[in-house]
Amino acid sequence: MNLVRCLALATALTGGLVCPALAQDAETRAASEFELATAVATASRAWRDAFNAGDAVAAAALYEEDAAMIAEPFGRFEGREAIQAFWADLVAKGFDDVVYYNTSTTIVDPTLTAATVSADWEMNKAKGTITRELWVLQPDGNALLREDHFTVTP
């Protein structure tokens, strides 16, 4: 048997073993992508619901303890406590009814544990753009914000 036939036979024999494994890997990856996307969408919705209910504590609870938030033109806020104080101040000033549109979610981590969200937003007293929310899947399967970058536009 010549070399080409031997390689063709070897490929044919091992292809039957490799293809199901690749299909299983693709299926597992798709399930993980779905899990991450669902966790991010659920957490993002929970944040909007908390803010719109005037609950700065619940909104801040959706950030990791050492999260960073950059709110242009207001500045940078480090840690959940500082972020909570920012949201509490806005709630106290009567800001609510935030709505996202033109939302885009992108998986950014090859291990399928992090995704970014960008969107336009409007509320009763302001509007702007979310340039980058970094949501990270936690061990319990929920997503929390590690980074939140947004701008307020006139």
Side-chain angles (χ1 to χ4, degrees), residues 25-81:
D25 288 347
E27 199 172 298
T28 300
R29 182 170 178 82
S32 295
E33 286 180 3
F34 180 77
E35 176 186 342
L36 175 59
T38 300
V40 168
T42 300
S44 180
R45 178 59 192 241
W47 185 91
R48 291 189 306 275
D49 289 347
F51 179 81
N52 289 339
D55 191 344
V57 173
L62 290 159
Y63 289 81
E64 291 183 332
E65 189 63 42
D66 59 350
M69 183 175 78
I70 300 171
E72 296 294 334
F74 304 106
R76 182 179 182 93
F77 302 85
E78 298 281 343
R80 187 180 290 154
E81 187 176 318

Side-chain angles (χ1 to χ4, degrees), residues 7 41 51 56 60 72 85 94 108 115 131 137-139:
L7 287 174
F51 179 81
E72 296 294 334
V108 295
T131 53
L137 198 60
Q138 304 298 304

Side-chain angles (χ1 to χ4, degrees), residues 14-29:
T14 60
L17 300 175
V18 173
C19 288
L22 290 176
Q24 186 175 19
D25 288 347
E27 199 172 298
T28 300
R29 182 170 178 82

Side-chain angles (χ1 to χ4, degrees), residues 34-125:
F34 180 77
E35 176 186 342
L36 175 59
T38 300
V40 168
T42 300
S44 180
R45 178 59 192 241
W47 185 91
R48 291 189 306 275
D49 289 347
F51 179 81
N52 289 339
D55 191 344
V57 173
L62 290 159
Y63 289 81
E64 291 183 332
E65 189 63 42
D66 59 350
M69 183 175 78
I70 300 171
E72 296 294 334
F74 304 106
R76 182 179 182 93
F77 302 85
E78 298 281 343
R80 187 180 290 154
E81 187 176 318
I83 292 168
Q84 180 179 322
F86 175 85
W87 293 125
D89 182 56
L90 267 102
V91 165
K93 292 177 179 173
F95 288 82
D96 65 6
D97 296 328
V98 70
V99 176
Y100 291 5
Y101 58 97
N102 298 326
T103 304
S104 175
T105 302
T106 305
I107 295 172
V108 295
D109 181 40
T111 64
L112 304 175
T113 58
T116 59
V117 171
S118 60
D120 296 313
W121 59 268
E122 290 182 0
M123 64 173 69
N124 64 332
K125 295 185 176 187

